[in-house]
Amino acid sequence: MSENSLFTRIINRKLAADIIYEDDQCIAINDIAPKAPVHMLVIPRRPISRLTDATKDDRDLLGHLMWVAGEVARMAGVSDAFRLVVNNGEGAGQTVFHLHLHVLANKGTSKKFSENDL
Ligand code: AMP
């Protein structure tokens, strides 16, 4: 677990970030170094280090993250064409060891929206 991960600091408002969505289980932010015109990260509040560190008890949470990824893509206007990426482990390019889903799309608008919009 990464109790003091970069993303935990963002979740706890110790570090500024462009938070575009949050609920009781996760937040979504715009990536600070976007690799595509739309690049959002969906991050669970629970600091699971890697996807493969998730347990059976995390299955509902993992499903929720997928659902939120689809919803933030819809709100960003890219629900017809986006990629969902999870880098699991250093060898796969993971640099922040707090699970996150990358939502990547070639066009659309990154904007702020709330749970009420979903
Ligand atoms: P990964 O390489 O899969 O671990 O992805 C980590 C992502 O976090 C990268 O795309 C970074 O650009 C992004 N990132 C790092 N620091 C921040 C930050 N302070 N705010 C938003 N995104 C960040």
Side-chain angles (χ1 to χ4, degrees):
M1 293 294 162
S2 326
E3 299 299 341
N4 284 309
S5 78
L6 178 74
F7 292 155
T8 294
R9 297 206 303 277
I10 288 174
I11 289 165
N12 292 333
R13 302 299 200 273
K14 303 283 186 218
L15 188 66
D18 193 11
I19 298 175
I20 50 179
Y21 169 82
E22 65 181 318
D23 63 26
D24 60 328
Q25 297 182 71
C26 68
I27 67 166
I29 63 175
N30 280 321
D31 197 290
I32 202 167
K35 313 316 185 274
V38 173
H39 188 171
M40 304 177 286
L41 303 173
V42 180
I43 306 163
R45 291 185 185 277
R46 187 168 131 67
I48 300 163
S49 293
R50 307 181 304 176
L51 179 64
T52 46
D53 293 312
T55 69
K56 243 181 170 181
D57 289 342
D58 293 318
R59 286 177 300 178
D60 285 351
L61 173 61
L62 297 178
H64 182 72
L65 299 177
M66 292 278 284
W67 178 76
V68 169
E71 290 300 294
V72 294
R74 185 174 63 76
M75 294 306 302
V78 299
S79 59
D80 281 346
F82 68 93
R83 288 192 301 132
L84 198 55
V85 173
V86 176
N87 296 322
N88 187 89
E90 219 173 292
Q94 184 174 2
T95 57
V96 179
F97 285 81
H98 181 145
L99 176 66
H100 50 283
L101 279 56
H102 295 259
V103 181
L104 297 140
N106 281 331
K107 49 186 171 184
T109 54
S110 286
K111 60 171 192 170
K112 291 185 187 294
F113 35 86
S114 75
E115 191 173 8
N116 295 335
D117 295 322
L118 302 184

Short mmCIF file of all heavy atoms in Angstrom, two decimals, residues 21 23-27 42-46 48 51 54-72 82 84 86 99-101 103 118:
data_model
loop_
_atom_site.label_atom_id
_atom_site.label_comp_id
_atom_site.label_asym_id
_atom_site.label_seq_id
_atom_site.Cartn_x
_atom_site.Cartn_y
_atom_site.Cartn_z
N TYR A 21 -13.64 15.05 -11.09
CA TYR A 21 -14.75 14.25 -10.57
C TYR A 21 -14.32 13.65 -9.25
O TYR A 21 -13.16 13.27 -9.09
CB TYR A 21 -15.11 13.14 -11.56
CG TYR A 21 -16.08 12.13 -10.97
CD1 TYR A 21 -17.44 12.39 -10.94
CD2 TYR A 21 -15.62 10.96 -10.37
CE1 TYR A 21 -18.32 11.51 -10.35
CE2 TYR A 21 -16.50 10.07 -9.77
CZ TYR A 21 -17.85 10.35 -9.76
OH TYR A 21 -18.71 9.49 -9.17
N ASP A 23 -16.10 11.00 -5.91
CA ASP A 23 -17.20 10.42 -5.14
C ASP A 23 -16.60 9.72 -3.93
O ASP A 23 -15.43 9.92 -3.62
CB ASP A 23 -18.08 9.51 -6.03
CG ASP A 23 -17.35 8.31 -6.57
OD1 ASP A 23 -16.36 7.86 -5.94
OD2 ASP A 23 -17.75 7.78 -7.62
N ASP A 24 -17.39 8.91 -3.26
CA ASP A 24 -16.89 8.31 -2.01
C ASP A 24 -15.81 7.25 -2.26
O ASP A 24 -15.07 6.90 -1.34
CB ASP A 24 -18.06 7.69 -1.23
CG ASP A 24 -18.78 6.61 -2.02
OD1 ASP A 24 -18.85 6.72 -3.26
OD2 ASP A 24 -19.27 5.65 -1.40
N GLN A 25 -15.68 6.77 -3.48
CA GLN A 25 -14.71 5.70 -3.74
C GLN A 25 -13.50 6.11 -4.57
O GLN A 25 -12.47 5.45 -4.55
CB GLN A 25 -15.41 4.55 -4.47
CG GLN A 25 -16.50 3.90 -3.65
CD GLN A 25 -17.12 2.74 -4.41
OE1 GLN A 25 -16.49 1.71 -4.58
NE2 GLN A 25 -18.33 2.90 -4.87
N CYS A 26 -13.65 7.18 -5.35
CA CYS A 26 -12.55 7.53 -6.25
C CYS A 26 -12.57 9.01 -6.63
O CYS A 26 -13.54 9.71 -6.34
CB CYS A 26 -12.62 6.68 -7.52
SG CYS A 26 -14.02 7.05 -8.59
N ILE A 27 -11.48 9.43 -7.25
CA ILE A 27 -11.46 10.75 -7.87
C ILE A 27 -10.99 10.58 -9.31
O ILE A 27 -10.41 9.55 -9.67
CB ILE A 27 -10.53 11.75 -7.14
CG1 ILE A 27 -9.06 11.35 -7.27
CG2 ILE A 27 -10.91 11.91 -5.68
CD1 ILE A 27 -8.10 12.46 -6.87
N VAL A 42 -8.36 7.99 -13.39
CA VAL A 42 -9.37 7.61 -12.40
C VAL A 42 -8.64 6.85 -11.30
O VAL A 42 -7.94 5.86 -11.57
CB VAL A 42 -10.48 6.73 -13.03
CG1 VAL A 42 -11.52 6.35 -11.97
CG2 VAL A 42 -11.13 7.46 -14.21
N ILE A 43 -8.77 7.35 -10.08
CA ILE A 43 -7.91 6.89 -8.97
C ILE A 43 -8.77 6.50 -7.76
O ILE A 43 -9.55 7.33 -7.28
CB ILE A 43 -6.96 8.05 -8.55
CG1 ILE A 43 -6.18 8.58 -9.77
CG2 ILE A 43 -6.03 7.60 -7.44
CD1 ILE A 43 -5.56 9.95 -9.53
N PRO A 44 -8.62 5.29 -7.26
CA PRO A 44 -9.40 4.92 -6.07
C PRO A 44 -8.87 5.65 -4.84
O PRO A 44 -7.66 5.91 -4.75
CB PRO A 44 -9.15 3.41 -5.95
CG PRO A 44 -7.82 3.18 -6.58
CD PRO A 44 -7.73 4.20 -7.70
N ARG A 45 -9.75 6.00 -3.92
CA ARG A 45 -9.28 6.60 -2.67
C ARG A 45 -8.42 5.59 -1.91
O ARG A 45 -7.43 5.97 -1.28
CB ARG A 45 -10.48 7.00 -1.79
CG ARG A 45 -11.25 8.17 -2.36
CD ARG A 45 -12.35 8.63 -1.43
NE ARG A 45 -13.13 9.67 -2.08
CZ ARG A 45 -12.77 10.96 -2.12
NH1 ARG A 45 -11.68 11.38 -1.50
NH2 ARG A 45 -13.52 11.84 -2.74
N ARG A 46 -8.81 4.32 -1.98
CA ARG A 46 -8.02 3.28 -1.32
C ARG A 46 -6.71 3.11 -2.09
O ARG A 46 -6.71 2.88 -3.30
CB ARG A 46 -8.83 1.98 -1.35
CG ARG A 46 -8.26 0.85 -0.57
CD ARG A 46 -9.30 -0.26 -0.43
NE ARG A 46 -8.74 -1.56 -0.77
CZ ARG A 46 -7.81 -2.18 -0.06
NH1 ARG A 46 -7.33 -1.61 1.03
NH2 ARG A 46 -7.35 -3.35 -0.43
N ILE A 48 -4.40 1.21 -3.35
CA ILE A 48 -3.90 -0.08 -3.85
C ILE A 48 -2.70 0.23 -4.75
O ILE A 48 -2.80 1.09 -5.63
CB ILE A 48 -5.01 -0.77 -4.67
CG1 ILE A 48 -6.24 -1.03 -3.80
CG2 ILE A 48 -4.49 -2.05 -5.31
CD1 ILE A 48 -7.51 -1.33 -4.60
N LEU A 51 -2.65 -2.95 -9.84
CA LEU A 51 -3.86 -3.74 -10.10
C LEU A 51 -3.72 -5.14 -9.49
O LEU A 51 -4.66 -5.66 -8.89
CB LEU A 51 -4.10 -3.84 -11.61
CG LEU A 51 -5.33 -4.65 -12.02
CD1 LEU A 51 -6.61 -4.01 -11.51
CD2 LEU A 51 -5.39 -4.82 -13.53
N ALA A 54 -4.72 -5.75 -5.90
CA ALA A 54 -6.14 -5.72 -5.52
C ALA A 54 -6.55 -7.12 -5.05
O ALA A 54 -6.03 -8.13 -5.54
CB ALA A 54 -6.99 -5.29 -6.70
N THR A 55 -7.45 -7.16 -4.09
CA THR A 55 -7.91 -8.44 -3.57
C THR A 55 -9.34 -8.70 -4.06
O THR A 55 -9.97 -7.83 -4.66
CB THR A 55 -7.92 -8.44 -2.03
OG1 THR A 55 -8.96 -7.56 -1.59
CG2 THR A 55 -6.57 -7.99 -1.47
N LYS A 56 -9.82 -9.88 -3.72
CA LYS A 56 -11.19 -10.24 -4.07
C LYS A 56 -12.18 -9.20 -3.52
O LYS A 56 -13.18 -8.88 -4.16
CB LYS A 56 -11.53 -11.59 -3.44
CG LYS A 56 -11.83 -12.67 -4.45
CD LYS A 56 -12.16 -13.96 -3.73
CE LYS A 56 -12.70 -14.95 -4.74
NZ LYS A 56 -13.07 -16.22 -4.13
N ASP A 57 -11.86 -8.66 -2.34
CA ASP A 57 -12.73 -7.66 -1.72
C ASP A 57 -12.77 -6.36 -2.51
O ASP A 57 -13.62 -5.51 -2.26
CB ASP A 57 -12.27 -7.34 -0.29
CG ASP A 57 -12.53 -8.50 0.65
OD1 ASP A 57 -13.35 -9.38 0.30
OD2 ASP A 57 -11.91 -8.53 1.72
N ASP A 58 -11.82 -6.17 -3.41
CA ASP A 58 -11.77 -4.92 -4.19
C ASP A 58 -12.56 -5.02 -5.50
O ASP A 58 -12.57 -4.07 -6.29
CB ASP A 58 -10.31 -4.58 -4.54
CG ASP A 58 -9.49 -4.21 -3.31
OD1 ASP A 58 -10.02 -3.48 -2.45
OD2 ASP A 58 -8.34 -4.66 -3.21
N ARG A 59 -13.21 -6.15 -5.74
CA ARG A 59 -13.86 -6.33 -7.05
C ARG A 59 -14.92 -5.28 -7.34
O ARG A 59 -15.01 -4.76 -8.46
CB ARG A 59 -14.45 -7.75 -7.17
CG ARG A 59 -13.36 -8.79 -7.39
CD ARG A 59 -13.92 -10.18 -7.42
NE ARG A 59 -14.60 -10.51 -6.16
CZ ARG A 59 -15.23 -11.64 -5.93
NH1 ARG A 59 -15.29 -12.57 -6.88
NH2 ARG A 59 -15.79 -11.87 -4.77
N ASP A 60 -15.73 -4.93 -6.34
CA ASP A 60 -16.75 -3.90 -6.57
C ASP A 60 -16.08 -2.55 -6.88
O ASP A 60 -16.53 -1.81 -7.75
CB ASP A 60 -17.64 -3.73 -5.34
CG ASP A 60 -18.64 -4.89 -5.23
OD1 ASP A 60 -18.73 -5.69 -6.18
OD2 ASP A 60 -19.31 -4.98 -4.19
N LEU A 61 -15.01 -2.26 -6.15
CA LEU A 61 -14.28 -1.01 -6.37
C LEU A 61 -13.72 -0.98 -7.79
O LEU A 61 -13.83 0.04 -8.50
CB LEU A 61 -13.15 -0.87 -5.34
CG LEU A 61 -12.19 0.31 -5.55
CD1 LEU A 61 -12.92 1.65 -5.48
CD2 LEU A 61 -11.06 0.27 -4.52
N LEU A 62 -13.14 -2.08 -8.23
CA LEU A 62 -12.56 -2.12 -9.58
C LEU A 62 -13.66 -1.90 -10.63
O LEU A 62 -13.45 -1.18 -11.61
CB LEU A 62 -11.84 -3.45 -9.83
CG LEU A 62 -10.62 -3.72 -8.93
CD1 LEU A 62 -10.03 -5.10 -9.23
CD2 LEU A 62 -9.57 -2.65 -9.09
N GLY A 63 -14.79 -2.49 -10.41
CA GLY A 63 -15.92 -2.28 -11.32
C GLY A 63 -16.36 -0.83 -11.31
O GLY A 63 -16.65 -0.25 -12.37
N HIS A 64 -16.37 -0.23 -10.14
CA HIS A 64 -16.77 1.17 -10.03
C HIS A 64 -15.81 2.07 -10.81
O HIS A 64 -16.23 3.01 -11.49
CB HIS A 64 -16.82 1.57 -8.55
CG HIS A 64 -17.27 2.98 -8.33
ND1 HIS A 64 -18.58 3.38 -8.52
CD2 HIS A 64 -16.58 4.10 -8.00
CE1 HIS A 64 -18.67 4.68 -8.28
NE2 HIS A 64 -17.46 5.14 -7.96
N LEU A 65 -14.51 1.77 -10.70
CA LEU A 65 -13.52 2.59 -11.42
C LEU A 65 -13.76 2.51 -12.92
O LEU A 65 -13.67 3.53 -13.63
CB LEU A 65 -12.09 2.10 -11.10
CG LEU A 65 -11.65 2.18 -9.64
CD1 LEU A 65 -10.23 1.59 -9.49
CD2 LEU A 65 -11.68 3.60 -9.11
N MET A 66 -14.08 1.33 -13.41
CA MET A 66 -14.37 1.16 -14.84
C MET A 66 -15.59 1.98 -15.23
O MET A 66 -15.63 2.62 -16.28
CB MET A 66 -14.63 -0.32 -15.16
CG MET A 66 -13.44 -1.21 -15.04
SD MET A 66 -12.40 -1.15 -16.51
CE MET A 66 -13.37 -2.15 -17.62
N TRP A 67 -16.59 1.92 -14.37
CA TRP A 67 -17.82 2.67 -14.66
C TRP A 67 -17.54 4.17 -14.69
O TRP A 67 -17.97 4.88 -15.61
CB TRP A 67 -18.89 2.34 -13.61
CG TRP A 67 -20.16 3.11 -13.84
CD1 TRP A 67 -21.11 2.88 -14.80
CD2 TRP A 67 -20.58 4.29 -13.13
NE1 TRP A 67 -22.10 3.83 -14.72
CE2 TRP A 67 -21.79 4.71 -13.71
CE3 TRP A 67 -20.05 5.01 -12.07
CZ2 TRP A 67 -22.49 5.82 -13.25
CZ3 TRP A 67 -20.73 6.13 -11.61
CH2 TRP A 67 -21.94 6.52 -12.21
N VAL A 68 -16.78 4.65 -13.70
CA VAL A 68 -16.46 6.08 -13.67
C VAL A 68 -15.64 6.46 -14.90
O VAL A 68 -15.85 7.54 -15.49
CB VAL A 68 -15.73 6.46 -12.36
CG1 VAL A 68 -15.16 7.87 -12.44
CG2 VAL A 68 -16.69 6.35 -11.17
N ALA A 69 -14.74 5.60 -15.33
CA ALA A 69 -13.94 5.89 -16.53
C ALA A 69 -14.87 6.13 -17.72
O ALA A 69 -14.68 7.09 -18.49
CB ALA A 69 -12.98 4.74 -16.82
N GLY A 70 -15.86 5.30 -17.87
CA GLY A 70 -16.81 5.49 -18.97
C GLY A 70 -17.61 6.76 -18.82
O GLY A 70 -17.87 7.47 -19.80
N GLU A 71 -17.97 7.08 -17.60
CA GLU A 71 -18.78 8.29 -17.37
C GLU A 71 -17.97 9.57 -17.59
O GLU A 71 -18.47 10.52 -18.19
CB GLU A 71 -19.36 8.26 -15.95
CG GLU A 71 -20.45 7.21 -15.78
CD GLU A 71 -21.61 7.45 -16.74
OE1 GLU A 71 -22.30 8.47 -16.59
OE2 GLU A 71 -21.81 6.63 -17.65
N VAL A 72 -16.72 9.60 -17.11
CA VAL A 72 -15.93 10.82 -17.33
C VAL A 72 -15.60 10.96 -18.82
O VAL A 72 -15.53 12.08 -19.35
CB VAL A 72 -14.65 10.93 -16.45
CG1 VAL A 72 -15.02 11.06 -14.98
CG2 VAL A 72 -13.69 9.80 -16.69
N PHE A 82 -12.23 6.19 -26.98
CA PHE A 82 -11.19 6.44 -25.98
C PHE A 82 -10.51 5.13 -25.64
O PHE A 82 -11.03 4.06 -25.93
CB PHE A 82 -11.76 7.12 -24.72
CG PHE A 82 -12.68 6.25 -23.90
CD1 PHE A 82 -12.19 5.50 -22.84
CD2 PHE A 82 -14.04 6.17 -24.17
CE1 PHE A 82 -13.02 4.70 -22.06
CE2 PHE A 82 -14.89 5.39 -23.41
CZ PHE A 82 -14.38 4.65 -22.35
N LEU A 84 -8.55 2.91 -22.51
CA LEU A 84 -8.42 2.76 -21.07
C LEU A 84 -7.15 1.96 -20.84
O LEU A 84 -7.01 0.86 -21.38
CB LEU A 84 -9.65 2.02 -20.56
CG LEU A 84 -9.99 2.08 -19.09
CD1 LEU A 84 -10.12 3.52 -18.63
CD2 LEU A 84 -11.29 1.33 -18.85
N VAL A 86 -4.11 0.62 -17.99
CA VAL A 86 -3.57 0.46 -16.64
C VAL A 86 -2.14 -0.07 -16.79
O VAL A 86 -1.95 -1.14 -17.38
CB VAL A 86 -4.39 -0.54 -15.80
CG1 VAL A 86 -3.72 -0.76 -14.43
CG2 VAL A 86 -5.81 -0.05 -15.60
N LEU A 99 -2.84 2.63 -7.70
CA LEU A 99 -3.61 2.23 -8.88
C LEU A 99 -4.34 3.41 -9.54
O LEU A 99 -4.90 4.26 -8.85
CB LEU A 99 -4.65 1.17 -8.45
CG LEU A 99 -5.62 0.70 -9.53
CD1 LEU A 99 -4.89 -0.04 -10.63
CD2 LEU A 99 -6.70 -0.19 -8.91
N HIS A 100 -4.31 3.45 -10.86
CA HIS A 100 -5.05 4.47 -11.59
C HIS A 100 -5.33 3.97 -13.00
O HIS A 100 -4.55 3.21 -13.57
CB HIS A 100 -4.28 5.79 -11.64
CG HIS A 100 -2.86 5.65 -12.08
ND1 HIS A 100 -1.87 5.17 -11.24
CD2 HIS A 100 -2.26 5.89 -13.27
CE1 HIS A 100 -0.73 5.13 -11.89
NE2 HIS A 100 -0.93 5.55 -13.14
N LEU A 101 -6.46 4.40 -13.53
CA LEU A 101 -6.84 4.08 -14.90
C LEU A 101 -6.60 5.32 -15.75
O LEU A 101 -7.09 6.41 -15.41
CB LEU A 101 -8.34 3.72 -14.97
CG LEU A 101 -8.79 2.30 -14.60
CD1 LEU A 101 -8.34 1.92 -13.20
CD2 LEU A 101 -10.31 2.19 -14.72
N VAL A 103 -7.51 7.37 -18.95
CA VAL A 103 -8.55 7.50 -19.98
C VAL A 103 -7.98 8.46 -21.02
O VAL A 103 -7.72 9.63 -20.73
CB VAL A 103 -9.86 8.08 -19.39
CG1 VAL A 103 -10.93 8.20 -20.48
CG2 VAL A 103 -10.35 7.22 -18.23
N LEU A 118 -23.42 12.86 -13.53
CA LEU A 118 -23.31 11.49 -14.03
C LEU A 118 -24.65 10.79 -14.05
O LEU A 118 -25.56 11.17 -13.38
CB LEU A 118 -22.31 10.69 -13.19
CG LEU A 118 -20.90 11.26 -13.13
CD1 LEU A 118 -19.98 10.32 -12.36
CD2 LEU A 118 -20.34 11.50 -14.52
#
